[in-house]
Amino acid sequence: MKEDIKSILFSESEIKEQVEKLGSQITQDYAGKKPLLIGVLKGCYVFLADIARNIELDCEIRFITASSYGVSTISSGDVKVGMDFDFEISGRDVLIIEDILDSGVTLSSLKKIIADRGAASLRICTLLDKPARRKAQIVPDYIGFKCPDEFVVGYGLDYAEKYRNLPFIAILKPEVYS
Ligand code: IMP
Ligand code: MG
């Protein structure tokens, strides 16, 4: 696995520090509320596990699936959202937890679906913000790190379902996917 890595972009300790900061910011901002955290699988699973433990509030945790990639590093633009929401969104303070915001196509579809279901409020928390390839007009409310225009893996992020278990975020060698 490590031989496929070009360089480490964000180390385990940098991520931990940043996730703690985000968690305490969210704790303050949602004081007195019971936010509904919706994780966008599968990439969010590590980030959500860590940030949820830094949010000192009663909160509900749910997951949905969304993907626009398949085995590719370029977003297909064709978003597949797992639509079987088996939980109530109406009246809830929804906080979407994403691993990375790239084209924004996934989140703009998702935002619309959640708003249509009558959320009281809706914010986005993304670990990584990669603005270089933004197509949809989406501005995240909470950002862990700005990400350069590189394909990154680790800490939940994959390429073709590999590398999710790396404890840091790394740039993959382009020859791995070209
Ligand atoms: P968007 O719809 O293009 O914003 O796609 C966002 C989704 O694409 C993320 O939730 C990731 O699953 C995936 N993605 C975007 N950039 C990367 C990357 O650099 N590495 C791994 N996955 C990525
Ligand atoms: Mg994802």
Side-chain angles (χ1 to χ4, degrees), residues 40-44 66-69 97-100 106 156-158 164:
V40 185
L41 288 173
K42 293 179 259 184
C44 77
S67 66
S68 65
Y69 273 71
I97 309 287
E98 252 286 28
D99 49 356
I100 184 165
T106 310
L157 290 138
D158 74 311
R164 293 192 196 274

Side-chain angles (χ1 to χ4, degrees), residues 40-44 66-69 72-77 79 98-108 126 128 130 133-135 147-154 156-159 164 170:
V40 185
L41 288 173
K42 293 179 259 184
C44 77
S67 66
S68 65
Y69 273 71
S72 163
T73 60
I74 311 240
S75 181
S76 66
V79 180
E98 252 286 28
D99 49 356
I100 184 165
L101 180 57
D102 184 20
S103 72
V105 172
T106 310
L107 275 187
S108 61
T126 187
L128 301 173
K130 197 187 329 182
R133 295 178 195 233
R134 197 63 42 81
K135 287 192 212 137
C147 181
D149 187 13
E150 300 267 10
F151 195 78
V152 297
V153 295
L157 290 138
D158 74 311
Y159 169 65
R164 293 192 196 274

Side-chain angles (χ1 to χ4, degrees), residues 57-70:
L57 298 169
D58 283 350
C59 53
E60 186 177 332
I61 297 174
R62 300 284 188 167
F63 294 95
I64 53 146
T65 57
S67 66
S68 65
Y69 273 71

